[in-house]
Every structure is written in C-alpha cells, then in structure tokens.
Amino acid sequence: MSATALIGLQWGDEGKGKMVDILAAEAELVVRCQGGSNAGHTVEVAGERTVLHLVPSGILSPTARCLIGHGVVLDAEQLLKEIDALEARGVATAGRLLVSDRAHLVFSYHRELDRAQESRRDEKIGTTGKGIGPCYEDKVARCGVRVGDLDRPEALERRIAQALETKRSRFEALGHEPPRLEEVLASARDLARRLAPMTVDGVTVVHEAMERGERIFLEGAQGSLLDIDLGTYPFVTSSNANVGGLLSGSGLPAQALTRVIGVCKAYATRVGSGPFPTELEDETGARLRERGNEFGSTTGRPRRCGWFDGPAMRFAVRVNGVTDIALTKVDVLSGFERIRFARAYETAAGERHEALPSMVDDFEGLRPVYEDFPGWEGELGGVRRYEDLPAELRRYVEAVEDYCGARVRWIGVGKGREHIVDRGEG
C-alpha cells in the first residue's frame, strides 16, 4: 500500500492546488477528503489559470481518477458549474470524477443560514457564507442529507422536510424566512439526475484501488491552523484540516499512509478574522500582498500578510507527521532587503514562548521574536536546480527545515506548474 497526503501548514492558501497538480502524475487516484466549496485551489498551466473549489486538482492530470470523499460537504450546484467549465475547456471528467454516496449535501438553507448568522455575530469568524458550517452542524446533529439519498425520492423528501423544520425557529430568530420545501426538493431532483452517473461507494473505490496496488493521493483543503480541533479556535473552519481528517474523510487506513507533504508559503497569509502574530499592517505587508497577488480565490478578499511564523509552522509539522515540505512563493520575497523569521513569541511582560498558544486569548499582546536574514535579488522563474538558487535563499530554506524539523524538498519559484525546484529524495 502506498498513499500520500498533502496538507496546508498555515491558514490555507499555501499553494496546495499547484502541488497536487504537479504530483498527481504519480497517482492513479486523487481523493479530496474534507471541507467544501469554501476551498479555492488555483493551478496555472501554460499561462492558463484554473480555480477549483470542489473538483480535486488532480483532474488536470489526464492519468488520474478523482474522488470527492465522504468527509466533504458537497455543494452540488457549484460542483456541476466546475464540471461544465472543465468540459468546455476539453478536460474530460466523465468516468474520471466520482462522488462518494456518503458525502453530505449543502443546500440553499445552509447558505442562507450561514450568511444570516455571520451578519449577527459581534465577533466575525470570517466565514465565506458558502453554508459549510451549517451543513457540518446537520451532519453532527444527524439530520443531514447525503448524496446517496438523492435516488430515494420518499426518503429525500422526508429528510429535507425534517432538516427545514429543525431550522425554522433559527431562521425566525434571525428575521429570515426559511426556503420552501418544494423549491429545495425541485433543486435536489435536478441535481440527482446529473450526480447519479458519478455517485459511488467511495470507501469501496479507495480500498479496491489499494488492493490493485494503485498510488493514492489525499488532497487537503484549508490549512492545519484552521483545523476545528487544533487550529486557532474559534477562528477556524468546520472540518478537520489535518492529516487525521484526510484519513477519516477518505476511508483510508492509517497504515496505508507512507508520506505526508506539508505545503507552506515562504511568508504567511490569512483571510478573515483571528490571531496572526506576524501580521504586517504597513507598507511591507502591502508589498507582499501586491507581489504575491494575495487575494482569496474563493472570496476575492485581500489576504492579511506577514513574515514566516516558525512556532506555528513547527506545530503543524509535528501534529501532522510531515515528512516533506513544499515551500512556495519564494520568488515573492525577491528584492526584499531583509527577510524576517519568527522564532518565538514574547509577552508584554517579557516572557518568551516557543509554542503556538492553544487558547485564542493567549495571543493577545504577543509579539514575534525575529531572526533576520539577508534578502536576495533576481528573477527565479528559470531556476530548476537547488544549487542555482541565491545563497541567501538557500540559507533561508535550510533555516526553515532546521527549525520545523522536516526537509524542504520542493521550492516554488513562480506561478506555473513548471516553476518548481525539486531537490529529490533526501
């Protein structure tokens, strides 16, 4: 058995889509395991930019089959839009894109409730309003509707009616009318016709692939610091975005996992609210945002930008058992005179802490303790060998791996699939 998991090590937007696209050539099956259409994986091939929210990024590799696993909450309307866009560009999905019958469905009432709740919060979470949280709430409350319910008309109507009834009082308290049952049912029936050919028992698909000796790739969404249990709670996503969530959301046994690839930027970004110790609210932060085109691929919102946060990264490497790091967007840092690396935090009283706080209130007043590195100059897009990178950049890369405890194997030097330095096996 040989399976690889790929996860984000920061607050999302690390460049996971590009890395999945690069590495999918090594896989026969790519599985998206958790999250929903709040994810935005961007891949650029031959100058053409593709943004995928639900379809696994492996779909751009002609040899890979793709499965949306049962850990995903599926906005089927968004999925079908992505499929139509891919087919229009000549990317075949029929027979290659599969959907687990155990995946829970996001409906209009989830999206409406998500937006209404966020608008009433005094302390904004920064939700995308895509209905992800309310759908996971239904899943845990055992009143959700799954893909496999779509071909059971009587059960489908009963389950949707029950779900709407449980939400009636919440909609009324928020001053909103809940969607009408007939409208939701009509939409569900339309979705059923198109989803039927791709609906499968996802667990069986994964295990039969293992029995055939196929290489399996687990594609994570969001980032480890947004994990519902281990992230900067409550400013987190609604799923387990760490390696445990990928195993649970795919049905893959732990002993099948042979490699965990963690993706992180050479600096740090965050979308929405929540603690961000190294955030730069100055000209340097604005320069990072402009050079890195740091705007959300799902929301379009400008990302908060800052220097590399070592304690946060080391935490993510440890809890996920990362074996290899992909360090992306080092080209964005070209031309900076000084590159800063946070090695610890310091309180207002002068106490030094080298671990990521577990409670959000403990971030209050923390200041990063930086180590400074000399910057580097020059265009990096044409570099393919590690030895040809500027010496100052190599020193920075080696500081990242020494501090975090995992080897940096891949280094992103540009936007495209080809803009990668692969150091090979260690």
Side-chain angles (χ1 to χ4, degrees):
M1 295 185 288
S2 176
T4 295
L6 185 140
I7 56 171
L9 297 178
Q10 295 163 310
W11 288 282
D13 310 308
E14 302 95 345
K16 297 181 293 296
K18 173 180 174 178
M19 289 307 303
V20 173
D21 174 60
I22 290 169
L23 297 170
E26 303 174 6
E28 282 87 18
L29 180 65
V30 178
V31 187
R32 168 77 187 276
C33 305
Q34 43 73 224
S37 60
N38 54 342
H41 291 173
T42 303
V43 181
E44 188 164 319
V45 180
E48 186 170 19
R49 185 171 181 262
T50 303
V51 180
L52 300 169
H53 300 279
L54 284 162
V55 176
S57 302
I59 199 71
L60 299 178
S61 172
T63 60
R65 290 183 305 149
C66 295
L67 170 68
I68 297 175
H70 54 261
V72 173
V73 290
L74 183 69
D75 184 332
E77 293 179 12
Q78 172 66 39
L79 173 65
L80 294 174
K81 288 177 184 176
E82 288 185 33
I83 290 172
D84 289 344
L86 288 166
E87 292 282 352
R89 288 173 42 195
V91 179
T93 62
R96 296 183 56 225
L97 178 61
L98 309 172
V99 177
S100 171
D101 57 1
R102 292 178 171 89
H104 281 250
L105 288 161
V106 176
F107 289 107
S108 59
Y109 53 83
H110 293 121
R111 294 188 290 269
E112 291 182 28
L113 194 58
D114 194 1
R115 291 190 288 267
Q117 288 178 157
E118 179 74 356
S119 70
R120 300 291 285 281
R121 287 191 178 104
D122 293 330
E123 191 174 43
K124 306 295 185 187
I125 299 297
T127 173
T128 59
K130 303 288 187 180
I132 308 307
C135 188
Y136 274 116
E137 287 178 28
D138 281 3
K139 178 178 180 177
V140 175
R142 294 176 288 275
C143 63
V145 182
R146 303 197 291 179
V147 171
D149 292 318
L150 290 174
D151 68 351
R152 296 167 172 80
E154 291 183 6
L156 179 65
E157 181 172 355
R158 184 177 68 253
R159 292 185 191 284
I160 292 177
Q162 289 173 344
L164 285 173
E165 186 58 34
T166 63
K167 291 167 179 55
R168 184 172 302 280
S169 61
R170 292 174 67 184
F171 271 108
E172 290 172 353
L174 292 163
H176 288 253
E177 280 288 324
R180 296 172 61 244
L181 172 61
E182 294 77 12
E183 294 174 356
V184 179
L185 272 174
S187 173
R189 289 168 183 145
D190 288 341
L191 297 173
R193 285 190 287 273
R194 291 200 61 187
L195 287 179
M198 62 187 86
T199 300
V200 296
D201 177 345
V203 174
T204 296
V205 168
V206 169
H207 281 261
E208 287 181 347
M210 283 198 302
E211 289 166 6
R212 290 192 295 269
E214 293 183 7
R215 292 164 295 182
I216 301 172
F217 205 95
L218 305 184
E219 176 179 343
Q222 287 83 40
S224 221
L225 300 180
L226 293 174
D227 184 273
I228 186 67
D229 290 315
L230 294 172
T232 49
Y233 187 91
F235 301 98
V236 292
T237 194
S238 301
S239 62
N240 285 113
N242 60 22
V243 71
L246 271 60
L247 291 171
S248 174
S250 65
L252 188 76
Q255 64 266 31
L257 198 60
T258 57
R259 184 167 61 161
V260 179
I261 299 170
V263 186
C264 67
K265 288 175 181 168
Y267 50 100
T269 64
R270 179 165 196 163
V271 172
S273 307
F276 188 179
T278 65
E279 183 174 11
L280 297 168
E281 299 180 271
D282 57 12
E283 291 182 6
T284 302
R287 185 180 175 192
L288 283 171
R289 186 178 302 110
E290 181 181 355
R291 286 181 56 83
N293 191 29
E294 296 296 353
F295 298 89
S297 51
T298 297
T299 64
R301 290 181 291 184
R303 296 174 184 144
R304 301 155 64 191
C305 296
W307 295 120
F308 190 89
D309 189 326
M313 264 287 298
R314 182 166 59 189
F315 173 83
V317 167
R318 286 173 171 173
V319 299
N320 289 292
V322 170
T323 56
D324 304 274
I325 292 174
L327 189 67
T328 63
K329 290 197 164 184
V330 300
D331 53 301
V332 172
L333 296 181
S334 289
F336 282 83
E337 184 177 344
R338 178 182 66 173
I339 311 296
R340 311 202 80 182
F341 182 124
R343 298 189 66 88
Y345 311 121
E346 189 175 77
T347 67
E351 297 174 342
R352 183 184 173 103
H353 297 276
E354 296 191 0
L356 183 74
S358 55
M359 306 301 289
V360 69
D361 292 342
D362 293 339
F363 282 93
E364 192 68 32
L366 279 188
R367 298 188 300 266
V369 178
Y370 287 116
E371 178 180 359
D372 290 343
F373 290 82
W376 54 86
E377 299 285 345
E379 170 62 41
L380 302 178
V383 179
R384 296 294 176 268
R385 297 195 318 151
Y386 183 68
E387 296 76 14
D388 295 334
L389 291 171
E392 297 85 357
L393 172 53
R394 283 184 275 123
R395 179 184 168 196
Y396 183 70
V397 168
E398 288 154 20
V400 169
E401 57 189 7
D402 288 345
Y403 184 91
C404 296
R407 183 170 181 266
V408 175
R409 173 166 176 178
W410 297 275
I411 301 163
V413 293
K415 295 179 182 178
R417 175 192 284 173
E418 71 279 10
H419 295 138
I420 201 80
V421 172
D422 183 353
R423 298 172 71 189
E425 298 289 343

